[in-house]
Amino acid sequence: MGFLSVLSMAHKWIAERTSTGDIVIDATAGGGVDTYTLAELVGPKGTVYAFDIQQEALDRTAERLSALAGDNKLPALKLVLENHARMAEEVDPSVIGQVSAVMFNLGYLPGSSDLTVITEPASTLAALDSAITVLRPGGIVTCVLYPGHPGGAEEAAAVEAWAAQLPQSLAQAVIYRQPQRHAAPYLIALEKRPLSVNGYRAG
């Protein structure tokens, strides 16, 4: 039977923590696969933000989601041509602290004419900080890492170190990977800790 792929596991964890009408973010739109999954989960009453620094990626994403528009199942879709590090500045202020899920799929845009355009550690870490800011208590961040391409191992190590130093009172982090395959993609997920009744984070 085998284990779920890292992408399938990310989608599973996201699905367990999102509902119809939620606000969600795809921090790396790419070809729109994750954006489409998020759009299906939140439905026409939800809101989906999709960030990318390449117009080609946003165009592909819009095309992929056009099928949902035809069936009147498309949520409010906001395609943002901007670095995901500016996530917290680019979303509507009312969204801060209300987002149920943020997805990252790092690396480069598959099939792009310029594969030198990749996510970078500095902006990725800034985007992860922003993701924690916009997330609601109990919300989730998933981040698929690709150590097999040039620059990917350094970015993966930086994200893993970032997740390891997060205060447990703020978020809990998990890693899903195949330890026998060092260059294989793997997944880090974070769940923002809920607030207790007295306003402090549980745990």
Side-chain angles (χ1 to χ4, degrees), residues 124-201:
T124 294
L125 296 186
L128 286 165
D129 284 334
S130 289
I132 293 290
T133 298
V134 302
L135 211 63
R136 64 168 175 78
I140 186 172
V141 176
T142 62
C143 188
V144 177
L145 305 159
Y146 295 87
H149 71 81
E154 292 79 5
E155 183 174 45
V159 171
E160 195 169 330
W162 174 88
Q165 59 79 40
L166 278 176
Q168 291 188 49
S169 59
L170 176 62
Q172 58 178 342
V174 294
I175 298 177
Y176 180 75
R177 74 180 306 177
Q178 299 178 44
Q180 301 114 315
R181 299 176 60 208
H182 299 295
Y186 67 102
L187 169 65
I188 290 180
L190 314 162
E191 185 176 56
K192 191 169 182 178
R193 299 297 295 271
L195 294 172
S196 64
V197 292
N198 60 8
Y200 294 97
R201 298 207 178 275

Side-chain angles (χ1 to χ4, degrees), residues 23-145:
I23 304 164
V24 292
I25 296 175
D26 186 351
T28 49
V33 173
D34 290 338
T35 315
Y36 189 96
T37 296
L38 290 168
E40 283 192 308
L41 288 170
V42 303
K45 294 182 179 179
T47 300
V48 180
Y49 285 85
F51 286 80
D52 211 286
I53 60 171
Q54 293 176 274
Q55 185 62 50
E56 178 185 0
L58 297 181
D59 292 343
R60 285 198 211 174
T61 297
E63 182 178 358
R64 186 180 293 273
L65 270 66
S66 62
L68 293 178
D71 295 335
N72 295 317
K73 295 180 179 179
L74 187 67
L77 178 62
K78 302 180 185 297
L79 301 176
V80 185
L81 183 64
E82 183 60 80
N83 193 300
H84 54 197
R86 291 187 48 79
M87 185 188 306
E89 289 79 23
E90 293 293 331
V91 299
D92 189 279
S94 64
V95 166
I96 304 298
Q98 302 298 320
V99 173
S100 61
V102 183
M103 300 192 76
F104 289 79
N105 198 336
L106 302 180
Y108 52 80
L109 176 62
S112 171
S113 57
D114 186 1
L115 297 182
T116 65
V117 179
I118 60 174
T119 51
E120 303 282 352
S123 56
T124 294
L125 296 186
L128 286 165
D129 284 334
S130 289
I132 293 290
T133 298
V134 302
L135 211 63
R136 64 168 175 78
I140 186 172
V141 176
T142 62
C143 188
V144 177
L145 305 159

